[in-house]
Amino acid sequence: MKHIKFILPAVAFILFCLFTHPVSAQTIPQNIPQNLSNVDVNSLTDAQIRQMLAQAQGAGLSDVQLLQQAQTRGMSDDQVQKLQDRISAIRSKDGTSGAGSMGGIDSTLRTGRRLNYRADSDSTRRQPRDIYDSFRPKIFGADLFRNKNMKFEPNLKIATPVNYVVGPEDQLNISVYGKSVANWKLEVSPDGTINIPGIGVVNVSGKTIEQLTASIKSKLTANNYAIGNGTSVQISLGNIRSIKVILAGQVVHPGTYTLPSLATVFNALYAAGGPNDNGTFRQIAIIRNNRIIRHLDVYDFLTKGDQKDNISLQDQDVIQIPTYRTRVELAGEVKIPGLFETLPGESLADILGYAGGFSDQAYTARIKVIQVSDQQHKLTDVIENDYKTYTPLRGDKYIIERILERYENRVQITGAVFRPGEYELQNGLTVSKLITNAAGLKEDAFSGRGNITRLNADNSKALIPFNIKDILNKTATDIPLQREDSVSIISIFDLRDKYKITIKGEVRKPGTFAYADSMTVADLIIRAGGFAEGASPKRIEVSRRVNNSDPTSKNSPVSQVFSVDVNKQLNQGDANFVLHAFDIVSVYGLPGYEKQRTVKVSGEVIYPGYYTIQKKDEKVSDLIKRAGGISASADVDGGTLKRSNIAILGVDKNKADTAELARERVERLNRIKKDYKDTSKTVDTTQRNNYIGIDLKAILEKPGTSIDLLVEDGDEIRVPKEQQIVRVNGEVLFPSAVVYDDGKSFKAYVLNAGGYGPEALKRGAYIVYPNGTVKGTRKFLWFNSHPSVKPGSEIYVPKRTPPTGDTGQQILAYTTGLASLGAIILGILSLHK
């Protein structure tokens, strides 16, 4: 009893392990490679690399991350470089990108295995799949039984086979027709008999349909049925029985399977997932009554479609899958790379046949073989004449390489010819003949000089110049061409700057245009969309480059300027003034031209709305007067003037709404933002620049004075209603709106918002008045002097800037400095005693 308290927990633990970790005979571990040190990138096909890229894309890995992960998995640096080159070549060929597009997913690279998942075809269980799974050689034939798109199911709707063996639970349909008519549906009993009404019991178990038909005919004839004399008998199957088949050995899911009695060996193999990684595909044994009745070679079906050994199964048949005997690998340029099983008497040529033969880019004269020696690997070459006699050995790996990426008879011509490209190096081909083959020189060809890039014996490059004109006129010796020569014909446009011309100012589409010979001012203005409204045709300047400026003189000209006078129709005056390349044409505006400018007046005025500025010196008071004055409920102290950044900066509003004006606006705004970004404080440029603090009450009392501002295009004057609240924001405990009270101080409003926060900069608190005016806190001795508060104002408490260094160290430095200064002073005083 003393040991029971120790035994019972142990038994409970064992039972827990048994029930929570069941051992299933129908699951095997997925053999995922951990080490890529033995991978030879040259032996991988493009299909394998594309499959790897697809899996990496599904896992969210970029090409760079993919290569890094391969390196961490043991792939050598030179193999990683080869893999990178192969990936780049495939990306270039397919026209795809490897940024991870991939939807832009930035995955974190893991040092372990990165897994995604796939669903098996015969179960809903999800198994891990390695990104580099495509590098593993596939077993030839394995996909036949693991492909969800291919199913081996018996056809239950076909006519009853005459060799079908009847057994218990089968249903027989017996039809008698002619002079005698009868229809019976009879089920075979467990003892293998049927009872025909009026005829008696007939033993049918173990008989084929053909044998059974003869037996029943004999019984019917004996019972006065005129069989063969006007009466016929037809026997077919109704409901067929089920049989149990055992799959044992090296099978993915070994066990006993219940199948229809019409099932064949392939049906059973598919149900069990086929042979596993160690199972044979070529010597599958079908055992019946403890005797091997047939051997199945799956390769016969895969390569020839032969199903002679795919026999029908019977109850209690056993399908035994032993381990493979000899398996070899074909890698590289074959149509179906993978692992292939060989039988005695087969040669390398047979294995190549199973692999579908060589690919289009295969080097077929020699195959490299990596063999297994006693304690190490051995390298052997097999030439083409020995393919039919070479006997594959255990563990052989055959590498079929690609043909070389070079040409034995190629020359190229590029540049100013009508058909540049690659050409055959024919016997006696020269430079002039190659130019003729390329359909001749273009009109812009520079005939004074061409060159040939030629490979030396050590594959270094040499440049051979020649005179194109002399060779074509046969006044110089024609040059014979060699393999991989590249002839370059230069265009005259490649030897000079691109000719262009620029137009600015009052045109609809200012910009830079391609120059053409004999182009005139009128031509350029038309290409620029014509004059903008307000342009002055009589005020046009053309500036031209000079090439004779005197560098020793300070007042030497740097450009040549011409004044041009045309009319609106571009058909008079200097409209035909001829331009030169790189000229700059400037079109100016009419001096008295003005576009309408509008101001918005809103809020508590009698007639709110948009008003057009009538004269250049119109002011805020004039606009309020035109709007009928202010209403009785207006808060004059809160009147605001909103002005855009463009108006503040003084951009010319007379300009047409062109792309140039838009660019100028953007450039000015960008300069403003950059100026504020360079400061230590974060500033909202819109809030800083859009509102101008005005004293509307004083303006209306003394119109026309210096505080009465001139209005600009786009201004907005707003007169609010009487305000009753004060907003408190920033570093306070509870930012809120507080009802205005004339007796409250600045600090009282902050207290109504919960008081200062722990990181508040009290001395930096400021107030924004309704009219846009800002006032900050002033310092008097050790006291903060806050501004007064008005209705509609906003109090803002900024955040304290964190210290930039160690405060303790700063104090120590200050103290040390003061002590040193004191010691110096004492020393000086002691000298004067």
Side-chain angles (χ1 to χ4, degrees):
M1 295 294 293
K2 175 173 148 182
H3 301 289
I4 291 179
K5 62 181 181 180
F6 299 101
I7 296 173
L8 288 178
V11 173
F13 177 77
I14 294 171
L15 292 175
F16 173 79
C17 292
L18 289 174
F19 283 103
T20 57
H21 300 279
V23 179
S24 173
Q26 297 190 4
T27 59
I28 63 170
Q30 182 79 9
N31 183 20
I32 295 178
Q34 299 283 345
N35 194 348
L36 301 179
S37 60
N38 295 325
V39 171
D40 182 8
V41 175
N42 290 334
S43 66
L44 299 177
T45 64
D46 289 349
Q48 288 175 292
I49 295 180
R50 284 191 176 94
Q51 182 180 349
M52 176 200 65
L53 293 175
Q55 293 175 5
Q57 182 179 353
L61 291 180
S62 66
D63 290 350
V64 174
Q65 292 169 328
L66 188 66
L67 294 170
Q68 291 174 345
Q69 193 174 110
Q71 199 166 28
T72 60
R73 297 276 290 277
M75 183 177 286
S76 62
D77 292 343
D78 61 331
Q79 292 297 323
V80 170
Q81 182 61 48
K82 291 179 181 179
L83 181 60
Q84 180 180 359
D85 295 341
R86 292 287 300 277
I87 291 175
S88 299
I90 289 175
R91 294 286 191 198
S92 176
K93 186 187 300 183
D94 297 345
T96 59
S97 172
S101 66
M102 319 217 173
I105 302 173
D106 185 16
S107 300
T108 303
L109 193 63
R110 303 177 185 268
T111 56
R113 188 170 66 237
R114 175 86 184 215
L115 303 175
N116 53 20
Y117 291 89
R118 63 177 179 181
D120 286 341
S121 60
D122 55 346
S123 70
T124 59
R125 187 183 300 109
R126 299 172 74 86
Q127 296 182 352
R129 185 175 185 180
D130 194 271
I131 292 175
Y132 302 97
D133 186 51
S134 60
F135 288 2
R136 297 176 61 227
K138 294 183 178 180
I139 300 174
F140 181 65
D143 288 344
L144 182 66
F145 304 110
R146 303 171 194 174
N147 187 351
K148 64 181 180 180
N149 297 321
M150 179 180 290
K151 293 184 178 181
F152 287 96
E153 294 180 350
N155 188 354
L156 305 180
K157 297 181 180 180
I158 62 173
T160 304
V162 295
N163 61 346
Y164 177 79
V165 179
V166 178
E169 297 184 4
D170 278 342
Q171 185 186 65
L172 298 176
N173 297 330
I174 303 174
S175 176
V176 180
Y177 56 93
K179 294 181 179 180
S180 300
V181 177
N183 289 289
W184 298 299
K185 290 186 178 181
L186 307 174
E187 185 172 331
V188 180
S189 65
D191 59 358
T193 62
I194 59 173
N195 191 354
I196 303 176
I199 304 298
V201 176
V202 179
N203 187 9
V204 297
S205 181
K207 295 181 179 180
T208 64
I209 292 294
E210 186 177 18
Q211 294 169 342
L212 180 60
T213 301
S215 177
I216 291 177
K217 283 183 177 180
S218 177
K219 287 282 187 181
L220 292 176
T221 302
N223 285 272
N224 299 321
Y225 281 86
I227 303 300
N229 295 314
T231 301
S232 300
V233 178
Q234 182 177 358
I235 300 175
S236 62
L237 284 175
N239 296 328
I240 63 174
R241 70 185 186 279
S242 298
I243 61 174
K244 291 187 181 297
V245 178
I246 302 172
L247 282 95
Q250 301 302 315
V251 64
V252 173
H253 302 302
T256 301
Y257 289 83
T258 300
L259 303 171
S261 57
L262 291 175
T264 64
V265 180
F266 276 163
N267 302 139
L269 287 173
Y270 180 82
N276 62 24
D277 290 349
N278 291 324
T280 179
F281 282 76
R282 310 205 60 185
Q283 293 179 318
I284 299 173
I286 297 94
I287 302 173
R288 183 173 298 161
N289 298 325
N290 297 322
R291 184 172 59 88
I292 297 177
I293 64 170
R294 193 72 60 94
H295 279 101
L296 174 67
D297 187 347
V298 178
Y299 282 23
D300 288 341
F301 174 73
L302 292 173
T303 59
K304 298 180 287 187
D306 188 352
Q307 297 191 65
K308 66 179 184 299
D309 296 321
N310 183 28
I311 62 174
S312 298
L313 297 174
Q314 294 186 15
D315 192 39
Q316 299 303 316
D317 277 354
V318 177
I319 299 176
Q320 172 68 26
I321 303 178
T323 58
Y324 66 86
R325 292 185 181 179
T326 303
R327 183 182 284 173
V328 297
E329 179 184 351
L330 259 69
E333 295 301 320
V334 288
K335 294 176 181 175
I336 309 174
L339 297 173
F340 295 85
E341 190 177 346
T342 66
L343 296 179
E346 290 186 330
S347 65
L348 176 57
D350 297 322
I351 307 302
L352 289 171
Y354 297 146
F358 295 107
S359 69
D360 297 336
Q361 300 296 316
Y363 174 62
T364 62
R366 185 183 301 270
I367 294 178
K368 184 189 300 181
V369 185
I370 300 176
Q371 296 178 326
V372 177
S373 185
D374 293 337
Q375 297 183 12
Q376 55 191 346
H377 291 288
K378 176 183 176 183
L379 197 62
T380 303
D381 286 341
V382 182
I383 61 175
E384 190 170 6
N385 293 336
D386 296 337
Y387 292 168
K388 293 183 180 180
T389 59
Y390 180 85
T391 301
L393 302 177
R394 173 184 62 89
D396 278 359
K397 180 177 180 179
Y398 304 97
I399 300 175
I400 294 88
E401 298 180 341
R402 295 173 67 93
I403 59 175
L404 300 177
E405 291 295 332
R406 58 181 293 169
Y407 293 83
E408 63 182 28
N409 61 341
R410 179 181 67 172
V411 293
Q412 300 181 66
I413 184 169
T414 59
V417 292
F418 285 102
R419 294 187 180 276
E422 299 174 349
Y423 288 87
E424 176 190 358
L425 177 61
Q426 301 168 337
N427 291 331
L429 186 66
T430 61
V431 170
S432 61
K433 291 180 180 179
L434 181 59
I435 293 175
T436 302
N437 292 344
L441 299 175
K442 286 185 176 180
E443 294 79 2
D444 61 322
F446 178 66
S447 60
R449 189 181 183 90
N451 58 69
I452 302 171
T453 302
R454 176 166 293 173
L455 295 180
N456 295 323
D458 59 354
N459 265 0
S460 61
K461 293 183 179 180
L463 196 67
I464 303 174
F466 61 90
N467 189 299
I468 302 174
K469 185 176 181 181
D470 290 346
I471 286 180
L472 294 181
N473 292 335
K474 299 183 179 180
T475 58
T477 304
D478 209 347
I479 302 175
L481 296 177
Q482 299 178 9
R483 185 185 70 84
E484 292 300 307
D485 276 355
S486 178
V487 178
S488 176
I489 307 298
I490 307 300
S491 168
I492 58 173
F493 300 116
D494 296 331
L495 302 176
R496 69 183 188 190
D497 290 340
K498 187 176 181 180
Y499 285 180
K500 57 186 178 180
I501 196 164
T502 303
I503 184 169
K504 298 182 177 181
E506 299 303 312
V507 289
R508 295 181 63 247
K509 298 176 183 178
T512 300
F513 298 88
Y515 173 76
D517 289 340
S518 303
M519 178 181 283
T520 64
V521 169
D523 297 328
L524 181 59
I525 293 174
I526 291 173
R527 293 190 66 177
F531 289 113
E533 186 179 358
S536 173
K538 298 184 180 297
R539 182 65 174 170
I540 299 175
E541 282 189 354
V542 178
S543 62
R544 182 166 296 164
R545 294 180 178 180
V546 296
N547 54 13
N548 58 353
S549 179
D550 184 3
T552 63
S553 174
K554 289 185 177 180
N555 61 353
S556 61
V558 295
S559 65
Q560 190 176 6
V561 179
F562 304 92
S563 294
V564 178
D565 181 1
V566 300
N567 64 343
K568 284 282 188 180
Q569 290 73 31
L570 298 174
N571 55 9
Q572 294 180 4
D574 298 322
N576 293 324
F577 181 87
V578 178
L579 300 174
H580 291 185
F582 309 111
D583 280 355
I584 298 177
V585 178
S586 300
V587 180
Y588 301 100
L590 291 170
Y593 178 77
E594 294 283 348
K595 294 181 67 175
Q596 297 96 325
R597 308 180 188 182
T598 58
V599 176
K600 181 181 180 182
V601 182
S602 61
E604 295 301 314
V605 293
I606 304 301
Y607 300 107
Y610 289 91
Y611 291 85
T612 301
I613 299 174
Q614 295 178 342
K615 51 187 179 179
K616 292 184 178 180
D617 62 347
E618 196 159 10
K619 299 188 176 184
V620 173
S621 59
D622 298 325
L623 266 296
I624 296 294
K625 183 178 180 180
R626 289 174 61 186
I630 60 175
S631 66
S633 59
D635 178 14
V636 183
D637 290 333
T640 60
L641 173 62
K642 183 179 179 182
R643 180 169 292 174
S644 68
N645 289 320
I646 304 300
I648 293 174
L649 294 170
V651 175
D652 187 1
K653 307 300 286 188
N654 291 329
K655 287 186 177 181
D657 193 10
T658 61
E660 183 181 10
L661 177 57
R663 283 195 300 269
E664 186 176 347
R665 290 174 176 172
V666 171
E667 289 172 0
R668 288 178 179 268
L669 285 175
N670 287 339
R671 284 197 296 271
I672 293 173
K673 292 180 180 179
K674 183 179 183 301
D675 292 340
Y676 289 127
K677 188 181 293 184
D678 292 340
T679 61
S680 60
K681 293 182 180 180
T682 302
V683 180
D684 185 344
T685 58
T686 303
Q687 294 295 330
R688 182 183 177 98
N689 292 281
N690 275 8
Y691 287 91
I692 300 174
I694 61 172
D695 188 347
L696 185 60
K697 184 176 182 180
I699 289 174
L700 296 180
E701 289 175 354
K702 297 179 180 180
T705 60
S706 59
I707 61 173
D708 191 4
L709 300 181
L710 296 172
V711 291
E712 296 282 354
D713 185 25
D715 281 356
E716 182 178 348
I717 301 172
R718 184 176 182 275
V719 183
K721 287 184 179 180
E722 186 176 354
Q723 303 293 309
Q724 296 178 322
I725 61 171
V726 175
R727 299 184 184 276
V728 185
N729 290 312
E731 289 299 316
V732 292
L733 296 179
F734 191 78
S736 57
V738 183
V739 177
Y740 175 75
D741 186 347
D742 188 40
K744 284 185 178 180
S745 64
F746 185 99
K747 189 173 182 180
Y749 284 104
V750 174
L751 290 175
N752 282 140
Y756 290 107
E759 297 185 0
L761 182 63
K762 298 179 183 180
R763 67 176 182 274
Y766 60 90
I767 188 168
V768 181
Y769 293 108
N771 65 349
T773 303
V774 181
K775 286 188 177 181
T777 299
R778 293 182 296 175
K779 196 78 173 178
F780 179 72
L781 297 179
W782 294 278
F783 303 100
N784 292 327
S785 176
H786 298 294
S788 61
V789 182
K790 296 181 180 180
S793 302
E794 180 178 0
I795 297 172
Y796 188 84
V797 181
K799 186 176 182 179
R800 185 190 305 118
T801 303
T804 57
D806 190 338
T807 306
Q809 291 180 356
Q810 290 178 350
I811 294 174
L812 180 61
Y814 294 148
T815 305
T816 304
L818 290 173
S820 300
L821 181 61
I824 293 171
I825 294 173
L826 290 175
I828 294 172
L829 292 176
S830 65
L831 292 175
H832 288 77
K833 287 184 179 180

